[in-house]
PDB file of all heavy atoms in Angstrom:
ATOM      1  N   GLY H 527     -21.208  11.838  13.618  1.00  0.00           N
ATOM      2  CA  GLY H 527     -22.100  10.838  14.251  1.00  0.00           C
ATOM      3  C   GLY H 527     -23.551  11.418  14.134  1.00  0.00           C
ATOM      4  O   GLY H 527     -23.785  12.558  13.713  1.00  0.00           O
ATOM      5  N   VAL H 528     -24.508  10.627  14.451  1.00  0.00           N
ATOM      6  CA  VAL H 528     -25.865  10.999  14.244  1.00  0.00           C
ATOM      7  C   VAL H 528     -26.295  12.217  15.153  1.00  0.00           C
ATOM      8  O   VAL H 528     -27.218  12.946  14.896  1.00  0.00           O
ATOM      9  CB  VAL H 528     -26.854   9.812  14.489  1.00  0.00           C
ATOM     10  CG1 VAL H 528     -26.729   8.834  13.321  1.00  0.00           C
ATOM     11  CG2 VAL H 528     -26.631   9.118  15.847  1.00  0.00           C
ATOM     12  N   GLU H 529     -25.536  12.281  16.349  1.00  0.00           N
ATOM     13  CA  GLU H 529     -25.872  13.406  17.282  1.00  0.00           C
ATOM     14  C   GLU H 529     -25.127  14.663  16.964  1.00  0.00           C
ATOM     15  O   GLU H 529     -23.960  14.554  16.492  1.00  0.00           O
ATOM     16  CB  GLU H 529     -25.604  12.892  18.693  1.00  0.00           C
ATOM     17  CG  GLU H 529     -24.121  12.530  19.155  1.00  0.00           C
ATOM     18  CD  GLU H 529     -23.781  11.228  18.419  1.00  0.00           C
ATOM     19  OE1 GLU H 529     -24.328  10.186  18.740  1.00  0.00           O
ATOM     20  OE2 GLU H 529     -22.809  11.237  17.514  1.00  0.00           O
ATOM     21  N   SER H 530     -25.676  15.773  17.084  1.00  0.00           N
ATOM     22  CA  SER H 530     -24.990  17.101  16.853  1.00  0.00           C
ATOM     23  C   SER H 530     -23.948  17.315  17.954  1.00  0.00           C
ATOM     24  O   SER H 530     -24.202  17.090  19.155  1.00  0.00           O
ATOM     25  CB  SER H 530     -25.943  18.193  16.890  1.00  0.00           C
ATOM     26  OG  SER H 530     -26.841  18.131  15.723  1.00  0.00           O
ATOM     27  N   LEU H 531     -22.792  17.741  17.549  1.00  0.00           N
ATOM     28  CA  LEU H 531     -21.711  18.048  18.442  1.00  0.00           C
ATOM     29  C   LEU H 531     -21.348  19.543  18.251  1.00  0.00           C
ATOM     30  O   LEU H 531     -21.355  19.997  17.138  1.00  0.00           O
ATOM     31  CB  LEU H 531     -20.515  17.221  18.199  1.00  0.00           C
ATOM     32  CG  LEU H 531     -20.699  15.744  18.466  1.00  0.00           C
ATOM     33  CD1 LEU H 531     -19.427  14.864  18.072  1.00  0.00           C
ATOM     34  CD2 LEU H 531     -21.059  15.373  19.867  1.00  0.00           C
ATOM     35  N   ILE H 532     -20.847  20.192  19.337  1.00  0.00           N
ATOM     36  CA  ILE H 532     -20.256  21.493  19.201  1.00  0.00           C
ATOM     37  C   ILE H 532     -18.876  21.475  19.919  1.00  0.00           C
ATOM     38  O   ILE H 532     -18.657  20.769  20.862  1.00  0.00           O
ATOM     39  CB  ILE H 532     -21.298  22.454  19.931  1.00  0.00           C
ATOM     40  CG1 ILE H 532     -20.836  23.950  19.666  1.00  0.00           C
ATOM     41  CG2 ILE H 532     -21.419  22.209  21.415  1.00  0.00           C
ATOM     42  CD1 ILE H 532     -21.976  24.954  19.949  1.00  0.00           C
ATOM     43  N   GLU H 533     -18.039  22.334  19.392  1.00  0.00           N
ATOM     44  CA  GLU H 533     -16.676  22.362  20.044  1.00  0.00           C
ATOM     45  C   GLU H 533     -15.951  23.617  19.771  1.00  0.00           C
ATOM     46  O   GLU H 533     -16.337  24.381  18.796  1.00  0.00           O
ATOM     47  CB  GLU H 533     -15.806  21.114  19.532  1.00  0.00           C
ATOM     48  CG  GLU H 533     -15.397  21.196  18.210  1.00  0.00           C
ATOM     49  CD  GLU H 533     -13.859  21.205  17.912  1.00  0.00           C
ATOM     50  OE1 GLU H 533     -13.219  21.151  18.933  1.00  0.00           O
ATOM     51  OE2 GLU H 533     -13.463  21.281  16.786  1.00  0.00           O
ATOM     52  N   HIS H 534     -14.977  23.907  20.487  1.00  0.00           N
ATOM     53  CA  HIS H 534     -14.139  25.064  20.372  1.00  0.00           C
ATOM     54  C   HIS H 534     -12.795  24.599  19.833  1.00  0.00           C
ATOM     55  O   HIS H 534     -11.864  24.074  20.653  1.00  0.00           O
ATOM     56  CB  HIS H 534     -13.932  25.714  21.766  1.00  0.00           C
ATOM     57  CG  HIS H 534     -13.125  26.988  21.629  1.00  0.00           C
ATOM     58  ND1 HIS H 534     -11.776  27.113  21.855  1.00  0.00           N
ATOM     59  CD2 HIS H 534     -13.542  28.277  21.381  1.00  0.00           C
ATOM     60  CE1 HIS H 534     -11.332  28.323  21.693  1.00  0.00           C
ATOM     61  NE2 HIS H 534     -12.364  29.051  21.412  1.00  0.00           N
ATOM     62  N   PRO H 535     -12.513  24.636  18.529  1.00  0.00           N
ATOM     63  CA  PRO H 535     -11.402  24.109  17.893  1.00  0.00           C
ATOM     64  C   PRO H 535     -10.048  24.570  18.544  1.00  0.00           C
ATOM     65  O   PRO H 535      -9.001  23.788  18.781  1.00  0.00           O
ATOM     66  CB  PRO H 535     -11.344  24.457  16.492  1.00  0.00           C
ATOM     67  CG  PRO H 535     -12.910  24.748  16.188  1.00  0.00           C
ATOM     68  CD  PRO H 535     -13.352  25.318  17.492  1.00  0.00           C
ATOM     69  N   GLY H 536      -9.899  25.841  18.895  1.00  0.00           N
ATOM     70  CA  GLY H 536      -8.748  26.465  19.461  1.00  0.00           C
ATOM     71  C   GLY H 536      -8.320  25.704  20.719  1.00  0.00           C
ATOM     72  O   GLY H 536      -7.051  25.499  20.966  1.00  0.00           O
ATOM     73  N   ARG H 537      -9.219  25.340  21.679  1.00  0.00           N
ATOM     74  CA  ARG H 537      -8.901  24.759  22.861  1.00  0.00           C
ATOM     75  C   ARG H 537      -9.093  23.218  22.826  1.00  0.00           C
ATOM     76  O   ARG H 537      -8.640  22.488  23.799  1.00  0.00           O
ATOM     77  CB  ARG H 537      -9.820  25.199  23.958  1.00  0.00           C
ATOM     78  CG  ARG H 537      -9.854  26.711  24.223  1.00  0.00           C
ATOM     79  CD  ARG H 537      -8.707  27.015  25.230  1.00  0.00           C
ATOM     80  NE  ARG H 537      -8.765  28.417  25.588  1.00  0.00           N
ATOM     81  CZ  ARG H 537      -9.315  28.924  26.713  1.00  0.00           C
ATOM     82  NH1 ARG H 537      -9.801  28.062  27.595  1.00  0.00           N
ATOM     83  NH2 ARG H 537      -9.313  30.169  27.015  1.00  0.00           N
ATOM     84  N   MET H 538      -9.710  22.624  21.780  1.00  0.00           N
ATOM     85  CA  MET H 538      -9.957  21.218  21.762  1.00  0.00           C
ATOM     86  C   MET H 538      -9.273  20.575  20.596  1.00  0.00           C
ATOM     87  O   MET H 538      -8.128  20.245  20.695  1.00  0.00           O
ATOM     88  CB  MET H 538     -11.524  21.012  21.796  1.00  0.00           C
ATOM     89  CG  MET H 538     -12.200  21.571  23.063  1.00  0.00           C
ATOM     90  SD  MET H 538     -14.000  21.665  23.016  1.00  0.00           S
ATOM     91  CE  MET H 538     -14.442  19.827  22.922  1.00  0.00           C
ATOM     92  N   THR H 539     -10.008  20.251  19.511  1.00  0.00           N
ATOM     93  CA  THR H 539      -9.468  19.482  18.393  1.00  0.00           C
ATOM     94  C   THR H 539      -8.080  19.998  17.813  1.00  0.00           C
ATOM     95  O   THR H 539      -7.264  19.314  17.310  1.00  0.00           O
ATOM     96  CB  THR H 539     -10.442  19.314  17.253  1.00  0.00           C
ATOM     97  OG1 THR H 539     -10.934  20.594  16.997  1.00  0.00           O
ATOM     98  CG2 THR H 539     -11.497  18.296  17.578  1.00  0.00           C
ATOM     99  N   HIS H 540      -7.985  21.381  17.898  1.00  0.00           N
ATOM    100  CA  HIS H 540      -6.809  21.935  17.240  1.00  0.00           C
ATOM    101  C   HIS H 540      -5.841  22.541  18.219  1.00  0.00           C
ATOM    102  O   HIS H 540      -5.031  23.406  17.871  1.00  0.00           O
ATOM    103  CB  HIS H 540      -7.188  22.968  16.166  1.00  0.00           C
ATOM    104  CG  HIS H 540      -7.831  22.255  14.990  1.00  0.00           C
ATOM    105  ND1 HIS H 540      -8.971  21.550  15.077  1.00  0.00           N
ATOM    106  CD2 HIS H 540      -7.407  22.118  13.687  1.00  0.00           C
ATOM    107  CE1 HIS H 540      -9.282  20.986  13.865  1.00  0.00           C
ATOM    108  NE2 HIS H 540      -8.390  21.348  13.122  1.00  0.00           N
ATOM    109  N   ALA H 541      -5.972  22.166  19.553  1.00  0.00           N
ATOM    110  CA  ALA H 541      -5.025  22.657  20.601  1.00  0.00           C
ATOM    111  C   ALA H 541      -3.549  22.276  20.207  1.00  0.00           C
ATOM    112  O   ALA H 541      -2.723  23.080  20.511  1.00  0.00           O
ATOM    113  CB  ALA H 541      -5.410  22.124  21.927  1.00  0.00           C
ATOM    114  N   SER H 542      -3.481  21.130  19.471  1.00  0.00           N
ATOM    115  CA  SER H 542      -2.063  20.682  19.103  1.00  0.00           C
ATOM    116  C   SER H 542      -1.386  21.568  18.120  1.00  0.00           C
ATOM    117  O   SER H 542      -0.205  21.476  17.863  1.00  0.00           O
ATOM    118  CB  SER H 542      -2.154  19.281  18.674  1.00  0.00           C
ATOM    119  OG  SER H 542      -2.937  19.105  17.510  1.00  0.00           O
ATOM    120  N   VAL H 543      -2.125  22.472  17.461  1.00  0.00           N
ATOM    121  CA  VAL H 543      -1.468  23.400  16.446  1.00  0.00           C
ATOM    122  C   VAL H 543      -1.292  24.831  17.003  1.00  0.00           C
ATOM    123  O   VAL H 543      -0.899  25.777  16.229  1.00  0.00           O
ATOM    124  CB  VAL H 543      -2.239  23.442  15.101  1.00  0.00           C
ATOM    125  CG1 VAL H 543      -2.078  22.046  14.466  1.00  0.00           C
ATOM    126  CG2 VAL H 543      -3.682  23.806  15.234  1.00  0.00           C
ATOM    127  N   ALA H 544      -1.658  25.026  18.273  1.00  0.00           N
ATOM    128  CA  ALA H 544      -1.492  26.282  18.932  1.00  0.00           C
ATOM    129  C   ALA H 544      -0.073  26.808  18.770  1.00  0.00           C
ATOM    130  O   ALA H 544       0.876  25.925  19.039  1.00  0.00           O
ATOM    131  CB  ALA H 544      -1.903  26.368  20.345  1.00  0.00           C
ATOM    132  N   GLY H 545       0.136  28.003  18.367  1.00  0.00           N
ATOM    133  CA  GLY H 545       1.590  28.498  18.343  1.00  0.00           C
ATOM    134  C   GLY H 545       2.318  28.093  16.935  1.00  0.00           C
ATOM    135  O   GLY H 545       3.464  28.403  16.754  1.00  0.00           O
TER     136      GLY H 545
END
Side-chain angles (χ1 to χ4, degrees):
V528 290
E529 61 289 296
S530 290
L531 297 175
I532 190 165
E533 68 121 1
H534 184 265
R537 298 272 186 106
M538 295 170 64
T539 47
H540 289 64
S542 59
V543 294

